C-alpha cells in the first residue's frame, strides 16, 4: 500500500467509525448498570455516606447515557462518543470517591478503595478507547487515588501496597490497551491490503473479460461475445417466443483491397465500415459485432422478413455511401461495398441455433453469388450454393465414388522433441468444374443431408491407410461431427475400420470443435466413452471461440486442447491479448490437458508459444496442409523403405 502513516491513521478512523460508535454505545449501556449495582457495596462498606454515593451513581450514570444518546442521534464521530465514555468512567470514580472519603468507616473504606482499580481496567480494557485517551483516563484515576491517600492517615505499608497495586494495574492495563489498539490497526491494515488485492483482482478480471469479448481493431464485440449474445437471444426465443433476426455483413473483395492498399489501410477500412454499421443499427437497439476477418454480425428483435430485408438494404446503401475507393475490383464498382445475408427465427422441427446461423450464412452466400453489393433474406426453398447449376448436396452423394473428395494433412510438431508427432486430416471437396468448395460450405450441407456419416467413415479409413498403416507418424487427428457422435453404432463402425486396417485406436485422435453448439446429451457421452475404450483420444478443437468449451472441459477429460489461432495472432502484437492467452493456457494446464496452439505462421509466434511452455504447435510455419505423399516426412519415410528393400 502506498498510503502514508498519517493517511492510514485517518483512513483507519474513518473505516472503523461505525463499528466503534456501536461499541461505545453498547459498552456504556452495559457499564452504567454495573456501576449502579455497586450501590450494594456502598451499603455494606460505607453505609454512613451511602445516601450521597447512591444518588450520585444514578446521577452520573443517567447523565452519561443521556449525553451519549444525544451524540449518537446527531451522528457524532466515534472519537466523541469514546471521550464521553472515558469521561463517564473518570467522573463515576471521582463522584463516588469524594463522598466516600467522608465515611467514618475508615478501615472498611481502606479495603473498599481497591475497587477503584475496576474503573482503571474499564477505560483500558472494557472500552475500545484509543491508547492516548485510555492512558489519560486511567492516569487521572490513578492520580485521584493517590490524592485520596492524603485524606486518611494510613500506614506506610498500606500506602505502599495499594499504590503498588494501582500502579501495576495502571501499567499492565495500559500496556494491554496499547497492544489491543496495535492489533486492531494491524487487522485493519491486513483487511485494507486484502481489499485492495480483491479490487485489483476484480478490475483485472473485468479487464480480461472486456478484452476477451472485444475486438481489438474495431472496439466492438468480437465473435465470442456475439456467440454469447446469440445464445441469449436463442434462449429467450425458445422460452418466450421473442423472434429475432441475424444479419451477416461481409465486405466485398476485401482481400484484394488489403493486398493492394496494405494492411494499415485495410484496418482503417474495417474500422470505418464498423463505425458506419454501428451508426445504422444502433437506433434499433441491435447488437453488432465483428464475426470474422471482414465479416460483421447484427442481431436484433424482428418479427418479419420484410423488416430484416429493409435493414439489410439500408446497410448496403449506408456502406456504399462512404465512398471508400477500391480500384482493384473487377465487377465494375470502384468503391467498397458489402453483401448482407439475413434470416429470422422460424418455428421448424428440430430447430437449433447453429441452423439459424447457417441460414444467415447461406443468405450471405446467395448475396455474393448475385453480384455482391446487395442483400438477401434466407429462402428455405433455395438450393445451397451460389451457382444454380451446381447442387453440392448431390455432389456429396457421388464424391467418394468419383474421387471428388480427398484428404490433406497438416503436421503437428511436439516442442519438447522438435519432431512431427502427428498430422491433422482435413477434408477437401472438388466441384464438377474443377474448383474447390470451402469446408465451411460443404460440411454443414453434409451434416444436414446425412452425407457426413459416409464421408466420416471414409476419412477415418483413408487417414489410417495413408499414414498409420505405413508407420509414417504416431498419431492422426480427425474432425468428427456431432451428427456422427449421435449416430447409433458409430463406435462399432469405427472399431471395424480399426480392425480392418490393423491400426491401434491409441494412434487416432478425434477432434471436437468447441465452436459447435453441440448438445451434451447422454447418447453423445456414451458414444465418446465407447470410443475411448477403443483407445481413441479426444481433442477439443478451437478452444476459446465458442460457448461450450468450459462445459466440455468439466464433463470429460480431453487428451489435448487446441487453442484457437486468433489468440496467438492477437498476442503477437498486443500485450493485453498476450496476458489473455497466458491466462487461457493456465486454465487449460490446471485441468491437466496437453496444449496445442494453432496458427503458428512465423518464427516470432513460434518463440512466443515456446515461452509459454506449451506441448505442441500447428500452422503454416510448421507445415501447410498437403496430400500424404507431398509431406517431407512422408517422402523421407518412403525413401528409407526403398533403400531397405534394395538392400
Amino acid at each position: 500500500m502506498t498510503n502514508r502513516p498519517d493517511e492510514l491513521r485517518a483512513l483507519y478512523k474513518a473505516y472503523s467509525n461505525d463499528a466503534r460508535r456501536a461499541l461505545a454505545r453498547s459498552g456504556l449501556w452495559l457499564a452504567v448498570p454495573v456501576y449502579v449495582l455497586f450501590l450494594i457495596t456502598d451499603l455494606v462498606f460505607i453505609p454512613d455516606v451511602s445516601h450521597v454515593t447512591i444518588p450520585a451513581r444514578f446521577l452520573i450514570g443517567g447523565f452519561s447515557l443521556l449525553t451519549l444518546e444525544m451524540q449518537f442521534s446527531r451522528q457524532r464521530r466515534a472519537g466523541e462518543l469514546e471521550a464521553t465514555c472515558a469521561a463517564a468512567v473518570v467522573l463515576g470514580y471521582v463522584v463516588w470517591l469524594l463522598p466516600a472519603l467522608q465515611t467514618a468507616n475508615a478501615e472498611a473504606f481502606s479495603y473498599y478503595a481497591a475497587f477503584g482499580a475496576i474503573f482503571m481496567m474499564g477505560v483500558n480494557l472494557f472500552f475500545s478507547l484509543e491508547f492516548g485517551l485510555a492512558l489519560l483516563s486511567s492516569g487521572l484515576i490513578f492520580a485521584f487515588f493517590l490524592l485520596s491517600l492524603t485524606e486518611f492517615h494510613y500506614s506506610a505499608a498500606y500506602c505502599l501496597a495499594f499504590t503498588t497495586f494501582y500502579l501495576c494495574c495502571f501499567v499492565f492495563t495500559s500496556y494491554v490497551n496499547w497492544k489491543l489498539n496495535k492489533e486492531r490497526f494491524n487487522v485493519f491494515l491486513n483487511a485494507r491490503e486484502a481489499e485492495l488485492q480483491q479490487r485489483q483482482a476484480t478490475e483485472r478480471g473485468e479487464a480480461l473479460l472486456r478484452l476477451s469479448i472485444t475486438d481489438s481493431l474495431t472496439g466492438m464485440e468480437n465473435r465470442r461475445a456475439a456467440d454469447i449474445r446469440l445464445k441469449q437471444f436463442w434462449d429467450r426465443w425458445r422460452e418466450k417466443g421473442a423472434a429475432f433476426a441475424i444479419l451477416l455483413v461481409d465486405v466485398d473483395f476485401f482481400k484484394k483491397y488489403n493486398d493492394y492498399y496494405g494492411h494499415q489501410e485495410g484496418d482503417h477500412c474495417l474500422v470505418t465500415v464498423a463505425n458506419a454499421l454501428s451508426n445504422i443499427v444502433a437506433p434499433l437497439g441491435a447488437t453488432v459485432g465483428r464475426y470474422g476477418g471482414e465479416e460483421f454480425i447484427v442481431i436484433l428483435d424482428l418479427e418479419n422478413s420484410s423488416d430484416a430485408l429493409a435493414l439489410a438494404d439500408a446497410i448496403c446503401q449506408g456502406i456504399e455511401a462512404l465512398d471508400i475507393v477500391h480500384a482493384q475490383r473487377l465487377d465494375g464498382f470502384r468503391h467498397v461495398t458489402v453483401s448482407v445475408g439475413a434470416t429470422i427465427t422460424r418455428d421448424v422441427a428440430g430447430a437449433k441455433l447453429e441452423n439459424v446461423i447457417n441460414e444467415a450464412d447461406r443468405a450471405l452466400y446467395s448475396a455474393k453469388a448475385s453480384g455482391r453489393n446487395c442483400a438477401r433474406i434466407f429462402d428455405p426453398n433455395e438450393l445451397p450454393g451460389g451457382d444454380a447449376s451446381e447442387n453440392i448436396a448431390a455432389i456429396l452423394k457421388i464424391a467418394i465414388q468419383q474421387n471428388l473428395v480427398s484428404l490433406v494433412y497438416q503436421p503437428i510438431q511436439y516442442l519438447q522433441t522438435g519432431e512431427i508427432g502427428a498430422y491433422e486430416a482435413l477434408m477437401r471437396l472438388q466441384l464438377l468444374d474443377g474448383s474447390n468448395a470451402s469446408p465451411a460450405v460443404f460440411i454443414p450441407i453434409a451434416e444436414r443431408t446425412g452425407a457426413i456419416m459416409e464421408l466420416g467413415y471414409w476419412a477415418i479409413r483413408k487417414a489410417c491407410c495413408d499414414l498409420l498403416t505405413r508407420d509414417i507418424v504416431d498419431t492422426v487427428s480427425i474432425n468428427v461431427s456431432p451428427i456422427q457422435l449421435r449416430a447409433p453404432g458409430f463406435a462399432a463402425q469405427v472399431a471395424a475400420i480399426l480392425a480392418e486396417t490393423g491400426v491401434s485406436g491409441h494412434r487416432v485422435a478425434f477432434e471436437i470443435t468447441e465452436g459447435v453448439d453441440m448438445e451434451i446429451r447422454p447418447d453423445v457421452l456414451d458414444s465418446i466413452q465407447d470410443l475411448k475404450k477403443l483407445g481413441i483420444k479426444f481433442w477439443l478443437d478451437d478452444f476459446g471461440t465458442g460457448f461450450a468449451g468450459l462445459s466440455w472441459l468439466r464433463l470429460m477429460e480431453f487428451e489435448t486442447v487446441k487453442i484457437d489461432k486468433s489468440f496467438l495472432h492477437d498476442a503477437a502484437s498486443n500485450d493485453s491479448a498476450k496476458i489473455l492467452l497466458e491466462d487461457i493456457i493456465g486454465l487449460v494446464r490446471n485441468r491437466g490437458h496437453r496444449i496445442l496452439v494453432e496458427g503458428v505462421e512465423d518464427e516470432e509466434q513460434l518463440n512466443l508459444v515456446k515461452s509459454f511452455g506449451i506441448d505442441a504447435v500447428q500452422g503454416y510455419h510448421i507445415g501447410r496442409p498437403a496430400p500424404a505423399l507431398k509431406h517431407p516426412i512422408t517422402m523421407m519415410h518412403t525413401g528409407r523403405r526403398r533403400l531397405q528393400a534394395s538392400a
Side-chain angles (χ1 to χ4, degrees), residues 127-155:
F127 292 99
S128 300
L129 304 181
E130 290 185 348
F131 178 66
L133 181 60
L135 187 66
L136 174 63
S137 304
S138 60
L140 288 174
I141 294 171
F142 186 31
F144 279 111
F145 168 74
L146 293 177
L147 290 174
S148 70
L149 294 178
T150 63
E151 180 68 20
F152 292 103
H153 299 287
Y154 296 121
S155 67

Side-chain angles (χ1 to χ4, degrees), residues 405-409 425-428 458-460 462-463 466 626-628:
V405 65
S406 61
L407 290 183
V408 294
Y409 302 92
L426 302 168
M427 189 176 294
R428 297 290 184 261
W458 173 86
I460 297 170
K462 176 72 172 172
D466 281 351

Side-chain angles (χ1 to χ4, degrees), residues 7 26 32 139 146 171 187 238 247 275 300 346 400 439 471 474 531 559 595 608 643:
E7 293 177 342
S26 60
V32 167
L146 293 177
V171 173
V187 169
R238 299 290 290 179
L247 287 76
N275 291 336
L300 75 162
R346 299 171 293 118
I400 296 176
D471 292 329
D474 292 332
L531 291 166
E559 195 267 352
I595 302 172
L608 178 59
L643 288 173

Side-chain angles (χ1 to χ4, degrees), residues 223 226-227 230-231 233-235 237-238 244 246 248 291 297 343 345-346 348-363 378 440-441 443-445 447-448 481-484 486 513-521 524 546-548 552:
R223 182 172 188 139
D227 284 339
L230 280 168
K231 190 68 165 56
F233 273 84
W234 176 260
D235 291 341
W237 178 66
R238 299 290 290 179
F244 65 95
I246 299 174
L248 293 179
Y291 210 54
I297 187 170
T343 188
T345 49
R346 299 171 293 118
V348 294
K352 293 182 180 180
L353 176 57
E354 59 263 31
N355 294 341
V356 180
I357 300 171
N358 185 51
E359 289 176 1
D361 191 62
R362 286 176 58 183
F378 171 72
V441 175
I443 292 296
I445 297 173
E447 291 178 335
R448 189 170 62 252
S481 164
I483 305 298
Q484 295 170 269
R486 288 198 293 263
T513 301
E514 185 210 346
V516 176
D517 183 21
M518 183 162 60
E519 296 177 352
I520 306 176
R521 306 189 322 185
V524 172
F547 41 77
W552 277 105

